[in-house]
Every structure is written in C-alpha cells, then in structure tokens.
Amino acid sequence: MFYLYCSNIAASPDTQPITVCFKSSCCNYNCCLILVNDQMDRNGNEATSPSHDWKSSKQGKKLIGIDGYWYDITNFIPYHPGGKVIEQFVGKDASAVFHGFHRQSVLRHRKPYARMNETSVENSRVSQAFAHLGQYFEKEGYFVTDYYWYAKKFLVTFLMICCVVYIVTNYPTSDRVYLGAVALAAFWQQCGFFMHDFEHNQFSQNRHIDKWLGTFFGTFCFGISGSWWRDEHFIHHALTTCVDHDIGFADPQMMEAVVWAQNEKLWPFYQNRLSYFLIRIQHITFLPLCVFMGRLAIIKASMVQERRLIEWAAFGLHWVWICVLLSYLPTWKHVFIFYGIASTIQGVLHIQLLISHYAKDYHHVKNVSKDVNWAQMQVESNIDIITPLWLDWFHGGLNFHLVHHLYPRMPRHNYRKATEYVRKVCHEYNLHYDHCGWFEAVKRTLSQLKRMSEHFSLDPNS
C-alpha cells in the first residue's frame, strides 16, 4: 500500500521512492510527492526500528510522532530548547507543530524508536495542505531573511533613540521634551518587535545568535526579559488558546491572573470573590489596563519570574540608561510625566497583541493533534487585522497573525505575501479565515469580554 509523503512529511510505503510533482489548484504552488516503501525510514534507508503502537512501548518511555515515526524524548525533555511544552504532545502525532518550529535537519541524527501504525488527524487533507504550503514557502525562499530590509529597520529604530536623546538633552525644560517621550514609546515598540523576531530565530536562523539579539533588544532596550518572554511565547504558539483543567494549564499569554476571563473554558481558574468582581467589569477595564498598566505589569511579571543572570544583567543596564536619560529632566514631575507618556503610548502594543486572540474559541490540550489537527486549531484561534501596507511597521507584521502562527520561523517581511496563499487554502477547505479592521477587532474583543462577564459564575459546574 502506498502513502503520500510530501518532502518533509513522512509516510510509509512499498518500493523505491518515486517523486511525483504536481501543481495545486487552490494555491498555484508546486509540490513534490514521494512514494516510499513501508520498510524504509524517513531517509529512504531500510528501517531497523520495530513497528508497534506507542502504548505498547517500553514502560516509562515518552514518545512523540513525527512524519510517521515515534521518537523517544524521555531523556531529552529537560534539554528541549522550547521548554517542557513538548510533553503536551507525548503520544500524539506532533508533525505539524514540529515543522512549524524546526527545520528538517534537526532530526538528522535522531533515530526513530518505532513506526507509527495509528491513523493520525495530522494526515487529514487540511493538515497536509498547510504542510505542502510550508514546503512551497521553503522552496520559494519565504524563510530566507532579507538583511537589507532589516538594515533599514535597524537604522530607523536607531534614529528614534537618537531623537529621544537629542530632544531630552537640548529641550529638558520645554514642553517639546514630551515629543521625546513619544519617540521613546516608538523605540520601545520597535525593539519589542525585534525581540519577537529574534526569539523566533527569524533573523540569523542561529538559535544562539538570535537569542543574544533577543536579550539585547528585549531586555536591554525594551526592558522586558527576552528569555522569559520566549519561554511563554513558545507555549503560546504550540498550544494557542488551549487549556487543560486536569493539570491546571492554560496558554500563559492568554490568561491574565484575576483580571480577565475572555472564554468560559478559563472560568475554573478564577474561583474567588476578587476574580468575580474584576471579571464582571472586565469589558470596562480592558482598554485602560492595557494602555496605562500594560508596560508596568509585563515588566513586573518578567522580573519576578526571571532567574537567569544574563537577563538580570541586561535588566540592570536597561535601567541605567533609562535613569541617565531621565536625569536630564529638571524635576521629578517632568520625570513622571515623561515616563508616563512613553509607557502609555507603548501600552497600545498590548492591545495590538491581544485582539488577535481574545474573541476566538479555546481548545482542550488533549484534543490538539488528536481530534483537531494543529493547523486547523491555529486557524480557529487567530484573527488577522486588515491594514494598509504603510501601517505594517506599526503592527510589526503581526497584523498577519495567522501566517505567523502557522509558520513562526518565517521573517515578517514575507507575511503579507504569504497570507494570500494561506487565505486560499482556508477557502479551499472551507475554513473560516477570520480578518477584520483594527477597531472592529477591538469592538469584538470588548463584546466577548462583556458577554463572558454577564455569564461568569464562581460555580465551575454552572
């Protein structure tokens, strides 16, 4: 019996590999399908691993499925660069999420533990369509960094901080100094987007280099631990808007403690009177808290939870340059107003990020890659924001949120072009591609918060 294997999407077949090329009618991209023998491994060599179900594996083994094979990750979990989120895919076909985060070469020296015999939801037509599209993006260079584009972004961001320094040092007693606060907010915002790019390894594709750049732009420039943010963000990407009540898990970047509960699946996590009061007014407090408290709250969260010495050193240096900058202002009143203006304007960034998810449905962790394929979960969890081309800088490319979640290694300068292909695949398979304007997304978020506030109960069974 033959199965289809599209480049890095494995399957198991009966003769020497046969390559078949075709052109997709829905997206106008070329794909190559390879028919391989079920006695061969992923590289076309004869397989040596036994074929059996993961449940009958040696007791204590933790196995994840990738491209038709089980891999033993029992001893690898503590060393996984993406953190322990990998455990949530034990016993599942993790092919889609694996290829979203990794290049195929990652498995070069990994020997499969056993062959997968189970039917997987990741072999569905929808999942395979997005996998084929990912291969097309690889082939056409969508994952290749445009360093000239980044050089221009670096230059503009550098000019922003130069403007801040010039205005503060030359007009410290004039009202014009507050233009420097606006420029500082823009500088922080752009550094936040750089941190996001680097922590996703979109720049050099070298994890160590990009991690250092993430710390520089995130912790030193932006003032928020890049490593702490990355740890949470990888979980957010792997299990977007997902919960597991049995182990007390929820997407960490979609759950603000005791403040908001934007979906009924979050209700069991909020079971005290303070939560009840805050959730009842969450549609009123959402925008003010994002704008006025967003920056301070995320700084506090990252500092409280961060334990790495290098991040604390970068924290210290961040506050050194901030204090030196503010020391040019004549009074404490000027200091508080200046920093307050910058923090408030930068707080808009928190609204930008949350409105892409808050009005969407939630999934149970146990269902992801079991009952619903990973790509479909991403389609159902994201909203794209419609903006003109000239506003992409303001959103850091994250107005194209779905393509970023499906292919997180892709540099953001390719999002707009790649989104057209994603939209076509959604249309082909009758998936709702959710997109709207910025103000409409804010309105939908507030409506969702209000609807949840009206039905929220402290009784988890209600």
Side-chain angles (χ1 to χ4, degrees):
M1 182 175 182
F2 288 86
Y3 299 80
L4 295 181
Y5 167 78
C6 188
S7 181
N8 61 2
I9 302 163
S12 318
D14 260 310
T15 58
Q16 292 297 316
I18 303 172
T19 301
V20 181
C21 294
F22 73 99
K23 189 169 186 179
S24 168
S25 61
C26 66
C27 289
N28 296 320
Y29 56 83
N30 296 318
C31 286
C32 287
L33 298 183
I34 301 176
L35 304 182
V36 278
N37 191 298
D38 66 356
Q39 301 303 313
M40 295 180 176
D41 66 14
R42 62 191 303 117
N43 298 313
N45 302 315
E46 191 164 337
T48 57
S49 301
S51 175
H52 52 71
D53 187 273
W54 71 273
K55 294 179 182 177
S56 62
S57 300
K58 185 177 178 180
Q59 187 176 10
K61 296 288 186 183
K62 293 184 177 181
L63 309 178
I64 62 170
I66 301 174
D67 294 348
Y69 291 88
W70 292 112
Y71 287 82
D72 182 5
I73 62 166
T74 308
N75 299 322
F76 174 68
I77 292 173
Y79 306 101
H80 180 228
K84 292 186 177 181
V85 67
I86 192 174
E87 289 188 285
Q88 302 300 326
F89 292 88
V90 168
K92 298 179 179 180
D93 184 349
S95 301
V97 64
F98 172 82
H99 290 300
F101 281 92
H102 309 87
R103 293 188 295 272
Q104 185 68 21
S105 59
V106 171
L107 289 177
R108 186 182 304 156
H109 304 296
R110 299 281 178 181
K111 185 177 180 180
Y113 181 81
R115 196 182 316 281
M116 291 179 66
N117 291 329
E118 301 75 32
T119 301
S120 169
V121 69
E122 297 299 350
N123 289 330
S124 67
R125 294 175 64 226
V126 169
S127 184
Q128 294 294 296
F130 282 110
H132 297 169
L133 182 57
Q135 292 178 347
Y136 170 77
F137 288 151
E138 288 275 10
K139 177 183 175 183
E140 296 299 316
Y142 281 67
F143 291 93
V144 176
T145 304
D146 183 343
Y147 290 107
Y148 177 67
W149 184 90
Y150 267 104
K152 292 187 291 184
K153 286 291 181 183
F154 291 149
L155 178 60
V156 171
T157 304
F158 176 71
L159 290 176
M160 287 178 180
I161 194 62
C162 287
C163 287
V164 175
V165 173
Y166 176 80
I167 292 172
V168 169
T169 55
N170 286 276
Y171 305 101
T173 59
S174 168
D175 287 344
R176 282 180 286 184
V177 75
Y178 298 124
L179 292 176
V182 176
L184 180 59
F187 172 75
W188 281 339
Q189 182 201 45
Q190 293 304 309
C191 286
F193 292 140
F194 283 139
M195 174 187 73
H196 178 269
D197 295 349
F198 299 139
E199 296 294 4
H200 272 298
N201 302 138
Q202 294 176 3
F203 183 68
S204 71
Q205 285 83 52
N206 181 298
R207 181 163 54 87
H208 302 290
I209 294 174
D210 283 350
K211 183 177 181 297
W212 279 101
L213 288 171
T215 296
F216 174 77
F217 280 99
T219 318
F220 174 72
C221 296
F222 191 28
I224 296 166
S225 170
S227 296
W228 165 82
W229 177 88
R230 182 192 65 241
D231 294 344
E232 284 202 346
H233 196 64
F234 280 3
I235 299 173
H236 166 65
H237 263 268
L239 295 167
T240 309
T241 63
C242 288
V243 298
D244 187 334
H245 302 123
D246 294 336
I247 62 173
F249 170 87
D251 177 346
Q253 294 192 335
M254 291 293 104
M255 180 176 170
E256 305 297 331
V258 307
V259 180
W260 303 312
Q262 66 274 18
N263 189 277
E264 62 270 13
K265 290 186 177 69
L266 293 175
W267 291 357
F269 297 103
Y270 301 88
Q271 292 300 312
N272 59 62
R273 290 292 175 182
L274 177 60
S275 296
Y276 179 80
F277 170 73
L278 292 174
I279 290 170
R280 295 292 286 184
I281 59 171
Q282 63 184 5
H283 55 293
I284 299 173
T285 61
F286 176 75
L287 292 178
L289 286 178
C290 281
V291 172
F292 297 112
M293 298 299 297
R295 175 171 175 81
L296 299 179
I298 198 170
I299 288 176
K300 174 181 177 294
S302 68
M303 293 182 73
V304 167
Q305 299 179 47
E306 184 56 75
R307 295 292 181 270
R308 284 156 284 213
L309 184 60
I310 185 64
E311 293 295 331
W312 272 99
F315 267 138
L317 292 174
H318 169 80
W319 286 107
V320 166
W321 76 260
I322 286 291
C323 289
V324 170
L325 180 70
L326 296 178
S327 69
Y328 283 89
L329 300 178
T331 66
W332 281 107
K333 177 182 176 181
H334 283 81
V335 168
F336 285 119
I337 293 177
F338 184 93
Y339 193 85
I341 290 173
S343 296
T344 298
I345 295 175
Q346 189 261 301
V348 175
L349 174 61
H350 301 279
I351 300 174
Q352 287 176 273
L353 301 179
L354 297 180
I355 60 176
S356 290
H357 299 294
Y358 262 38
K360 301 300 289 183
D361 200 6
Y362 273 58
H363 296 82
H364 287 285
V365 171
K366 64 182 179 182
N367 295 333
V368 177
S369 296
K370 279 285 190 181
D371 301 319
V372 59
N373 66 73
W374 187 77
Q376 184 174 340
M377 179 268 288
Q378 295 293 354
V379 173
E380 294 173 355
S381 301
N382 285 273
I383 300 175
D384 278 1
I385 308 301
I386 302 170
T387 62
L389 177 63
W390 62 270
L391 256 184
D392 285 354
W393 71 272
F394 178 73
H395 294 273
L398 297 180
N399 40 327
F400 303 106
H401 223 70
L402 177 55
V403 72
H404 169 59
H405 268 255
L406 288 168
Y407 310 103
R409 293 186 295 111
M410 183 184 293
R412 58 175 148 131
H413 51 74
N414 288 324
Y415 288 172
R416 180 174 285 273
K417 187 167 53 173
T419 290
E420 291 306 310
Y421 292 97
V422 170
R423 186 202 299 258
K424 290 175 182 177
V425 173
C426 289
H427 176 73
E428 178 76 9
Y429 291 95
N430 296 317
L431 298 175
H432 175 53
Y433 169 68
D434 200 349
H435 60 293
C436 61
W438 196 85
F439 290 104
E440 177 63 22
V442 171
K443 180 181 177 182
R444 287 175 57 184
T445 298
L446 295 177
S447 297
Q448 174 72 6
L449 290 169
K450 188 174 189 300
R451 186 162 53 251
M452 292 297 104
S453 72
E454 292 171 346
H455 297 289
F456 177 72
S457 171
L458 290 178
D459 180 4
N461 299 315
S462 63

